[in-house]
Structures are given as structure tokens and as C-alpha cells.
Amino acid sequence: MTPHAPIPGPDRPDGPGRPLTGFDVDFTGHEIERRAQILAALGADWDPVEVLRGEEEAYDLLYSGLDAEQQRRYDDLVAAGVLPRRPGGGRAAA
């Protein structure tokens, strides 16, 4: 923690006219530990590239076989930036 100059503020209950004091908390160590625990929970066989590939396949399946109205709505959502532009010229897979 790094102390700072007192912050002007209202009177505190523990004494009249005592200003509040600011400080910083460094969570770097906690963040490193959190990330290490996440990676341990995922296991050694976790393959992030394969996970992303599976997500892409799921999106391709989700947006495949759209009828004309669904395709129009899909195109509107892509144009509005709600959905990302997909490979294939921005059209859902047929």
C-alpha cells in the first residue's frame, strides 16, 4: 500500500476535523494466483485453439439454412454491429 496525502473530507466519527487518507492496493499477486488456479482447473489437455474452432463451427451451424426473412434480420444485425461479420462475405452459411 502506498500512502497518499490526506483527502479533505467531512468530519470523521473518530475525531472532528480528521481528514480521510487515501491508499492504493496492489492486487497483482492475487491476479497471478487467480490465473494460475484457472489454468490448473482447465487441465493440461485444454486446447484453446480447438475450443475456438468448435465455437466457430457452432456459429456456422447456428446461422446456416436461414430463410429470406431470417437472412435479412441477420444482415441487419451485422450492419448494426450487433453481430460480427462472418466469413463468406457477411452472409450466413446456406
Side-chain angles (χ1 to χ4, degrees):
M1 290 187 269
T2 306
H4 294 283
I7 300 171
D11 290 345
R12 294 179 43 177
D14 58 347
R18 294 185 62 176
L20 300 174
T21 302
F23 60 91
D24 293 330
V25 178
D26 184 1
F27 289 109
T28 304
H30 296 286
E31 179 63 12
I32 291 170
E33 177 65 22
R34 184 189 71 82
R35 290 181 185 191
Q37 290 177 2
I38 289 171
L39 291 174
L42 290 171
D45 60 339
W46 180 67
D47 183 2
V49 174
E50 185 61 33
V51 170
L52 289 174
R53 189 175 297 120
E55 287 182 5
E56 289 297 320
E57 290 172 4
Y59 279 117
D60 290 343
L61 185 59
L62 177 66
Y63 297 119
S64 65
L66 301 179
D67 64 27
E69 176 64 16
Q70 292 168 330
Q71 185 66 54
R72 185 189 64 74
R73 289 180 187 247
Y74 172 86
D75 293 338
D76 289 346
L77 290 171
V78 169
V82 175
L83 292 174
R85 187 162 305 281
R86 311 254 332 133
R91 304 287 295 175

